[in-house]
Amino acid sequence: MADWFERTLLIGGIELIALILVATLVSGVRLSGFWPALEFVIFVGFANAVLWPLLARLTLPFLVISFGFLTFLLNGLIFWIGGQLVAGIYFDSYFHALLVAVILSLVNTLASSLLTIDEDASFYRAVLQRTMRRMPLRRPINKTPGVLFLEIDGLSESALRRALDGGYMPELTRLLASGSHQLIGWETDLSCQTGAAQAGILHGNNFNIPAFRWVEKAEGNRIVTTNRPRDANAIERRISDGAGLLHRNGRSRANLFSGDAEDAILTYSLATDMRRLFAPAYFAFFSNPYNFVRTLSLMGVDIVREMRGRQRQVREDVQPRLIERRRGLYPLLRAATTTLLRDITVDALITDVLWGEADVIYATFAAYDEVAHHAGVGDPDALHVLSQLDRALMRIERAIEAGDRPYQIVVLSDHGQTQGATFRQRYGMTLRELIEQLLPDALRIHERLQTDEDWGHVAALVSEVAQQEPHMLGRFVRNVTRDRVADGEVAVGPEFQRIQDERKGRIPSAEEAQLIVLASGNLGLVYFTDWRTRLTLEEIEAHFPGLIDGLVRHPGISFVLVRSECYGPLALGARGVYYLAQDRISGENPLASFSPNAPMLLRRVDLYDNVPDLLINGVYDPVANEGCAFEELISFHGGLGGDQNHPFILAPCEWKMGGEAIVGAEQLHRLFKRRLEPLVRLNAPTRAETSAETSTAKQKAPAVLG
């Protein structure tokens, strides 16, 4: 505490010097001496520490819908009021007060970062805790431990172990060294991507999710994309039985699906409800007036880091590498994922654990997945992201220690990533171009060979603000994006360019295409849309002779899954066939490079209603541990092969998670539910208590909390 106090005094001194310099340089600021400057700095510090949490609570909906920029205006208001109350300092206008507020906020952010006060933030956390204890609707403190699931998207077990050995994640290393946690691996489904993984983990049901994106022939060849809010909502309604992992006093934070949580923010499947943007969980982020400025500053640092990382890979001739996809707006999109989304999520979790009402919390951090896709799983930039996530975990643990309720922490991943040069880099063509060469006749082909998850985050938020926000911001966004609306959502980035090309007739749309080719990492999906049912091997060979043979003989393809009228599902390779229904092999085993569970996983996918006519898995070299994505990503996930299929779980030792092999997200869900059952029983309210709480909530609920 003494060290923190000394550092805070140092920051106050730096702000004091900065204020004197600004008053000297800016003509609209009048300062009569040192003592008025000192009094003003003390006033601003007092206002930010004591009044700001109340101000943030009252204006929370407006802070959220303005993406945080209202914090600048409010901070400027505090400075302007200070100029009216403190003798010896005066601002000619509100604009000058705002300018000084921004400059001093930047100085505070820089000094705090250099002195690591931002990683402690103990004073603001204490203020936040006291404020939350006075908020209405709070139940009596529950002393039964809650559970906090922290998912690191895209981090494989082997990549995690390398990061631990390299000293990049000291907090996780400490958990393991203390004997409180154990690290185990598990095996994903096919496909191994967030849609299928979180459906399985959070709901115990990921059937009929064959990839990141697929075609539903029975619904007029509609393309379903898991990170589109409308599609995610429809998927969740299909798979949910109302008893998901988070259905009892649960919280969903930055996930694809809600797990039936009663409280969710930044959750795709519930993004259509604008009221969730005003959730009190955002209060932690905005309770510190410097948070938003700090986050913007760190985003700027990450943008520079991305540019330098790209140049470093060129200078050092790192292979494989992506250059073109890392230009343009990508550095800004990356910074939004690695910094803004992370900081809001962490502070929402701090709110949750200090509030102490949630029994189960599940949060996803997508930063590592985003950076590793473009830089590589072991690139210094990706490892830096892991070190930042480790520090975020430390902040959350400190909040738990400061809170009134204990929480058990489980860190896990939904899938890993396999690295390798892309299909296009290796063979000079895309999967669509290969298929086009093998077709006997020219067909209208619609392709979507890039998931663009980073743009998906932006599109989801903009769409919901445009559709749901009734005030000035919503009207402005609707006017600006009215020409970008397609299928009820705002299209941005590559998706908007694709729609423009379709409207101008440069490429065929999905509705008018005869063939749709999709990609999910090293998993390719081919649908013949003139048929409303799945084509068999015999039908495809009759209508498109040479197509399947050409695909399986290509060096960039390991196998093709297709259904035969005579033999059922087949995994076809260049030199052999795996008869999945009969569990026999003719020639060389096309699945020899993959997990022993690969046949089982393929049999399951073959039962899906929306399984493609041809399911294509890219080549994988088990010796080099390298694969080949049909997307332009040098580290990928989606199909079979390598580290992408082997995520991890770091769980409390008392959970005894290492007793059985875990294959598939549905099995992981069942294991988690069994560990949570004692917690549910201990915290189950009586019917009378539930009725009383409902009555109290109706009487006390303030409108600002949504």
Side-chain angles (χ1 to χ4, degrees), residues 52 64 101 125 340 364 375 636 678:
W52 185 271
V64 175
R125 189 167 60 241
L340 179 60
T364 299
F636 59 87

Side-chain angles (χ1 to χ4, degrees), residues 269-558:
S269 63
L270 298 179
T272 52
D273 186 355
M274 191 67 186
R275 292 172 300 174
R276 296 180 185 274
L277 285 179
F278 307 148
Y282 286 108
F283 178 61
F285 183 73
F286 294 110
S287 64
N288 184 335
Y290 300 113
N291 257 356
F292 187 68
V293 178
R294 171 183 175 272
T295 297
L296 286 182
S297 302
L298 293 178
M299 286 179 64
V301 172
D302 196 71
I303 289 172
V304 174
R305 179 177 290 110
E306 160 61 23
M307 293 177 175
R308 293 181 62 184
R310 184 183 66 213
Q311 294 171 354
R312 170 183 50 78
Q313 287 195 339
V314 173
R315 184 174 61 252
E316 298 175 359
D317 194 25
V318 175
Q319 297 294 340
R321 66 172 183 260
L322 295 176
I323 298 300
E324 292 304 318
R325 281 188 56 82
R326 297 175 67 177
R327 300 186 187 278
L329 290 176
Y330 173 73
L332 178 60
L333 293 173
R334 163 181 152 163
T337 303
T338 59
T339 306
L340 179 60
L341 186 60
R342 179 201 67 205
D343 284 359
I344 292 178
T345 303
V346 168
D347 284 13
L349 293 173
I350 289 174
T351 300
D352 291 328
V353 299
L354 291 179
W355 186 262
E357 285 193 356
D359 291 340
V360 190
I361 309 166
Y362 196 104
T364 299
F365 294 94
Y368 174 80
D369 187 71
E370 174 61 38
V371 175
H373 274 320
H374 296 82
V377 293
D379 186 84
D381 276 6
L383 294 173
H384 176 77
V385 168
L386 290 181
S387 68
Q388 293 297 102
L389 292 178
D390 190 76
R391 294 170 74 181
L393 172 62
M394 181 175 62
R395 289 183 60 198
I396 295 169
E397 286 188 300
R398 287 177 177 173
I400 293 173
E401 293 171 0
D404 298 311
R405 183 181 186 183
Y407 278 88
Q408 294 181 322
I409 293 178
V410 179
V411 185
L412 72 155
S413 58
D414 53 347
H415 55 75
Q417 290 194 29
T418 301
Q419 189 157 314
T422 71
F423 189 87
R424 185 176 184 177
Q425 288 175 336
R426 291 174 185 239
Y427 307 109
M429 67 176 73
T430 66
L431 177 62
R432 179 260 172 130
E433 291 168 339
L434 171 62
I435 291 173
E436 196 171 35
Q437 290 181 4
L438 296 172
L439 291 172
D441 301 308
L443 297 179
R444 296 187 301 276
I445 302 177
H446 178 86
E447 67 171 73
R448 298 195 195 179
L449 300 180
Q450 198 65 41
T451 57
D452 291 311
E453 292 177 88
D454 40 18
W455 284 104
H457 300 317
V458 177
L461 184 57
V462 173
S463 295
E464 295 317 313
V465 171
Q467 294 169 14
Q468 304 292 333
E469 167 52 35
H471 301 102
M472 181 178 66
L473 177 64
R475 290 194 295 271
F476 173 76
V477 174
R478 282 191 291 275
N479 289 333
V480 170
T481 62
R482 61 180 179 273
D483 295 331
R484 290 175 170 262
V485 177
D487 195 22
E489 296 181 0
V490 178
V492 298
E495 182 71 5
F496 176 66
Q497 184 60 52
R498 179 188 64 78
I499 292 172
Q500 288 289 88
D501 290 342
E502 289 179 3
R503 289 173 175 173
K504 294 179 180 180
R506 289 195 285 262
I507 60 174
S509 66
E511 292 76 14
E512 60 190 12
Q514 298 170 284
L515 187 69
I516 297 178
V517 182
L518 309 175
S520 183
N522 67 330
L523 197 67
L525 299 86
V526 178
Y527 294 87
F528 297 95
T529 57
D530 286 338
W531 290 266
R532 285 292 178 262
T533 58
R534 180 185 180 187
L535 292 184
T536 64
L537 168 68
E538 291 79 7
E539 289 172 325
I540 295 173
E541 289 184 333
H543 292 287
F544 309 103
L547 173 61
I548 294 178
D549 186 62
L551 288 173
V552 299
R553 293 184 182 279
H554 192 278
I557 293 174
S558 286

Side-chain angles (χ1 to χ4, degrees), residues 38 72 131 174 196 209 281 322 326 328 372 448 451 474 519 546 549 574 621:
L38 177 61
F72 287 123
T131 304
R174 184 192 65 79
I209 302 181
L322 295 176
R326 297 175 67 177
R448 298 195 195 179
T451 57
D549 186 62
D621 181 353

Side-chain angles (χ1 to χ4, degrees), residues 78-126:
I78 289 177
F79 273 61
W80 185 81
I81 293 174
Q84 307 300 310
L85 298 179
V86 177
I89 184 171
Y90 181 75
F91 301 102
D92 284 354
S93 66
Y94 167 78
F95 171 78
H96 292 96
L98 175 63
L99 177 62
V100 175
V102 171
I103 294 174
L104 262 65
S105 295
L106 290 173
V107 170
N108 180 285
T109 298
L110 178 61
S112 297
S113 298
L114 292 175
L115 298 172
T116 69
I117 290 179
D118 59 304
E119 295 302 328
D120 185 8
S122 56
F123 182 75
Y124 279 107
R125 189 167 60 241

Side-chain angles (χ1 to χ4, degrees), residues 199 202-205 233-244 247 258-260:
L202 293 175
H203 288 284
N205 180 7
N233 182 268
I235 294 168
E236 184 161 49
R237 283 187 277 111
R238 292 181 188 178
I239 64 177
S240 174
D241 62 0
H247 81 288
S258 73
D260 295 321

Side-chain angles (χ1 to χ4, degrees), residues 178-235:
S178 70
S180 66
H181 285 67
Q182 64 176 150
L183 175 60
I184 63 171
W186 65 285
E187 186 174 345
T188 65
D189 303 277
L190 178 66
S191 72
C192 59
Q193 44 84 30
T194 303
Q198 286 202 354
I201 295 172
L202 293 175
H203 288 284
N205 180 7
N206 60 9
F207 197 77
N208 273 334
I209 302 181
F212 172 81
R213 180 186 285 125
W214 67 86
V215 174
E216 298 203 337
K217 287 188 174 184
E219 296 189 16
N221 295 320
R222 186 172 72 92
I223 297 180
V224 177
T225 305
T226 53
N227 75 341
R228 288 185 62 198
R230 290 178 184 272
D231 288 344
N233 182 268
I235 294 168

